[in-house]
Amino acid sequence: MTTAVCPGSFDPFTLGHHYVVERAAACFDEVVITVVVNPNKRGMFSVDERIELIRADCADLPNVRVDRWTGLLVDYMRNEDIHTMVKGLRSAVDFDYEVPMAQMNRELADVETIFLLTDPRFAHVSSSLVKEVAKLGGDVTPFLSANTHRHLAARIAGERSI
Ligand code: PNS
């Protein structure tokens, strides 16, 4: 069975992420979306919330499951006996950022990184930009599922009321 990990922060999971995961799910028997926890960074959503949102967004993809990890990603890959990860590329900027990590992960644990191009519709979409635009009142509905958008709007409304 072929398995690939799609790692990321996913705070929150966007339609750009979904597009890449869907493409990966067509190439591998199984795809594991691994939410990588950064203990030094407090996200808008907790890791449990992110996982719940991703599960709902990927309910249409039966060979996709969601997991979490804190620490070096290659240690997770070793523990799970998975040798391939898939990353989405939006631009040459992503490529420049990803290449050293791919080389490092290969050297550390012989992990192969496969890059999939995102759809041009999502080339400008990132979780952080979506959060910034939404916080300032912009329309981010084209970039999130209806469920994730609802939760983001509620979270922002809650933050504002504090
Ligand atoms: O969605 P992001 O924040 O761009 O994802 C980046 C992520 C989490 C995949 C990357 O930072 C990562 O792999 N972090 C885990 C720690 C690690 O293994 N660092 C060394 C990378 S060579």
Side-chain angles (χ1 to χ4, degrees), residues 34-46:
T34 305
V35 179
V36 180
V37 185
N38 181 345
N40 302 317
K41 213 168 137 188
R42 194 171 162 269
M44 175 176 274
F45 293 98
S46 70

Side-chain angles (χ1 to χ4, degrees), residues 12-13 44-45 52-53 56-57 134 140-141 144-158:
F13 194 75
M44 175 176 274
F45 293 98
E52 194 181 317
L53 293 174
D57 279 6
V140 293
T141 50
L144 300 171
S145 70
N147 183 55
T148 296
H149 182 262
R150 197 163 47 78
H151 282 86
L152 180 72
R155 185 57 48 96
I156 288 169

Side-chain angles (χ1 to χ4, degrees), residues 7-10 36 71-73 87 97 101 104-105:
S9 307
F10 307 118
V36 180
L72 260 189
L73 197 53
K87 295 278 192 86
Y97 173 70
M101 288 201 284
M104 182 62 80
N105 288 332

Side-chain angles (χ1 to χ4, degrees), residues 10 24 38 70 86 104 106 122 129:
F10 307 118
N38 181 345
T70 306
V86 171
M104 182 62 80
R106 178 143 188 199
F122 305 121
L129 202 51

Side-chain angles (χ1 to χ4, degrees), residues 64-78:
V64 172
R65 62 184 171 90
V66 190
D67 202 357
R68 73 176 72 203
W69 180 252
T70 306
L72 260 189
L73 197 53
V74 292
D75 287 337
Y76 173 82
M77 311 278 293
R78 260 199 219 105

